[in-house]
Amino acid sequence: MRLPGRLAAAIEVLTDVETRKRPVSEALKAWGLNNRFAGAGDRAAIGNLVYDALRRRASHAFAMGSDSPRALILAVAMRDWGEMPETLNAAFADDAHAPDALSAEEAAGATTDMSGAPAAVRADFPEWLAPSLERGLGADWVAEGHTMAGRPSLDLRANALKASPEKVMKSLARFSPQPTTIAPFGITMPAGPRDARTPNVTTDEGYQKGWFEVQDQGSQIVAALAGAREGEQVLDLCAGAGGKTLALAATMGNKGQIFAYDADRSRLAPIYERLKRNAVRNAQVRAPQPGALDDLVGKMDRVVVDAPCTGTGTWRRRPDTKWKLTPELLAQRQSEQAALLVEAARYLKPGGTLVYITCSILPEENDDQVAAFLAAYPGFETMDMAKAWRSALITDLPQGLATPGGGICLTPHRTNTDGFYCHLLRNKG
């Protein structure tokens, strides 16, 4: 397929997303099944066009004077991919599968001046969240939004139980991997431009042998900040598919015990195969059932709460969720988080550490939650995050990451990671 056909296909997919309210991944898969002539490169390019359109939906709609799928995809072609309107029209005229020719108004969108656009539009954030994001991210919140509207890198974590980062990078040399800047076992492959394809590393023999896992550098950092040590008793209360459980096991050198639990049985399903492939021997999966964790009450050295959240920190990877978030969903997540903090406290022994993590950049889910918990439970205190950072990552805490409430917040703009929050609380006993 040539670019005109890819643009037409992207418009079709985005229209399907908009009209049927379905996830982008589902719409792209359905298009691929219905158009089997399209090769892997075509599907990657179409996916990039759709995701890029959603990442910058607000600013592209402002520039084009329309938020229709056609306007958004054409904006990506002109404003992100550098295509000139006259070049596009010439290509459209020579391709039977092309969209209709650009109108004069659409062509003008290529050079729209954004300086007069509202701040939330320039940041590509939902307008109703602007006060919260400004409070949480500070004066640079528009720049933060601009970076968050970019493409994410592909990050991996070398499994210290089986391989070194150097061994993994040698195995993946064909993809030009690089060490991450912060996470000590991290490897990254920056996103490419335009129709660049993301490397399929899960077919590599190193992945099959458990040498590495796909894990954003931010997730690796907060897992390291949890501070798990050899011989400890650790509860991963929201283990999900087990990404942080695997990282904790590697940090602990397979010594001690990790109890991996999640209230959603289906989310736990992948963890069994992943534990085996990664040669993790100190993790015990606890399936959700009445009394599943009763024997752990008051006995844990560390409880990790990777709380369910709005996922605002992952908007680069799931941009469609950025525009679906509602005040009602935020309130629901806040209620769940507050309950989980109380639940987690039950399992800690005196002197134990509660590790609160979200993949959110909203203060309502981060500092505000911790402040409310501390007000209700004065037997806990905030731990020194700068000290924890130095201990876990062997560097000083970079400026700008500490939050007013005593946690840390990672963002694409600050750390070239997904957005993550981490706060350590000690049970004073």
Side-chain angles (χ1 to χ4, degrees):
M1 297 174 68
R2 294 187 295 171
L3 180 61
R6 290 174 169 180
L7 291 172
I11 293 169
E12 180 183 339
V13 171
L14 188 52
T15 300
D16 184 28
V17 170
E18 299 281 299
T19 56
R20 299 180 64 180
K21 309 298 181 186
R22 67 196 304 191
V24 176
S25 58
E26 289 185 13
L28 286 168
K29 182 179 180 180
W31 187 90
L33 291 173
N34 292 329
N35 298 272
R36 295 182 182 275
F37 63 86
D42 295 322
R43 295 194 300 273
I46 294 163
N48 285 348
L49 285 164
V50 174
Y51 278 109
D52 285 351
L54 290 170
R55 289 185 180 108
R56 294 196 166 99
R57 180 185 185 121
S59 60
H60 283 333
F62 182 91
M64 299 294 288
S66 169
D67 65 352
S68 70
R70 172 183 165 90
L72 296 176
I73 296 298
L74 291 176
V76 171
M78 296 185 295
R79 298 182 66 86
D80 293 346
W81 291 27
E83 294 290 334
M84 301 299 293
E86 55 271 23
T87 305
L88 286 176
N89 271 337
F92 289 0
D94 192 38
D95 193 318
H97 303 287
D100 293 337
L102 277 73
S103 67
E105 292 78 11
E106 288 173 331
T111 55
T112 299
D113 180 8
M114 298 297 296
S115 61
V121 170
R122 287 183 281 115
D124 274 293
F125 283 143
E127 186 177 1
W128 72 272
L129 278 173
S132 173
L133 291 162
E134 185 172 9
R135 178 165 71 94
L137 300 173
D140 289 339
W141 72 282
V142 173
E144 292 274 5
H146 183 76
T147 307
M148 187 162 277
R151 292 183 185 177
S153 58
L154 174 64
D155 295 348
L156 316 174
R157 179 185 57 80
N159 176 16
L161 299 174
K162 282 196 167 187
S164 66
E166 292 74 21
K167 184 176 183 178
V168 173
M169 285 191 285
K170 184 177 180 180
S171 177
L172 299 173
R174 63 193 181 280
F175 298 130
S176 301
Q178 307 167 17
T180 50
T181 55
I182 300 174
F185 293 94
I187 298 157
T188 187
M189 283 156 273
R194 292 177 59 101
D195 57 356
R197 296 167 62 181
T198 300
N200 184 10
V201 296
T202 58
T203 61
D204 185 80
E205 65 171 349
Y207 179 81
Q208 303 299 326
K209 293 178 178 179
W211 293 357
F212 65 88
E213 284 290 323
V214 177
Q215 186 177 23
D216 179 75
Q217 183 186 193
S219 180
Q220 296 179 48
I221 291 169
V222 295
L225 288 172
R229 300 170 185 167
E230 293 183 1
E232 286 189 338
Q233 300 291 300
V234 178
L235 171 60
D236 188 354
L237 190 57
C238 306
K244 292 184 179 64
T245 299
L246 299 174
L248 292 168
T251 300
M252 296 168 69
N254 255 340
K255 298 176 182 178
Q257 186 73 53
I258 303 171
F259 300 92
Y261 174 85
D262 199 282
D264 185 340
R265 188 180 297 269
S266 63
R267 292 190 67 213
L268 270 176
I271 197 172
Y272 300 95
E273 187 276 331
R274 296 180 78 187
L275 291 171
K276 181 179 179 180
R277 181 164 43 81
N278 280 261
V280 172
R281 298 188 302 274
N282 69 329
Q284 181 184 132
V285 181
R286 294 285 183 94
Q289 59 185 357
L293 303 177
D294 285 355
D295 60 319
L296 307 184
V297 173
K299 297 179 180 179
M300 296 294 100
D301 295 292
R302 216 165 291 268
V303 178
V304 178
V305 180
D306 186 4
C309 65
T310 55
T312 53
T314 64
W315 276 344
R316 296 185 302 170
R317 302 180 192 280
R318 300 181 61 200
D320 49 336
T321 64
K322 176 162 45 171
W323 311 109
K324 294 177 182 178
L325 182 58
T326 63
E328 292 75 21
L329 179 57
L330 173 57
Q332 179 184 337
R333 292 291 178 260
Q334 288 176 275
S335 177
E336 294 167 350
Q337 292 153 7
L340 276 167
L341 280 168
V342 174
E343 174 71 6
R346 297 178 58 233
Y347 302 107
L348 279 173
K349 67 182 185 182
T353 302
L354 197 167
V355 184
Y356 179 65
I357 297 168
T358 73
C359 54
S360 174
I361 55 175
L362 301 180
E364 291 88 345
E365 300 184 276
N366 298 337
D367 273 359
D368 292 359
Q369 283 286 17
V370 173
F373 175 77
L374 289 172
Y377 294 86
F380 283 78
E381 64 182 358
T382 289
M383 297 174 66
D384 186 340
M385 293 302 298
K387 181 178 179 180
W389 186 283
R390 285 192 298 272
S391 176
L393 301 165
I394 324 300
T395 62
D396 289 333
L397 178 65
Q399 289 188 348
L401 301 191
T403 65
I408 63 142
C409 186
L410 313 174
T411 68
H413 189 63
R414 299 169 184 175
T415 49
N416 195 29
T417 67
D418 283 351
F420 276 94
Y421 176 83
C422 183
H423 201 122
L424 305 182
L425 298 163
R426 188 175 74 89
N427 179 5
K428 294 186 290 185

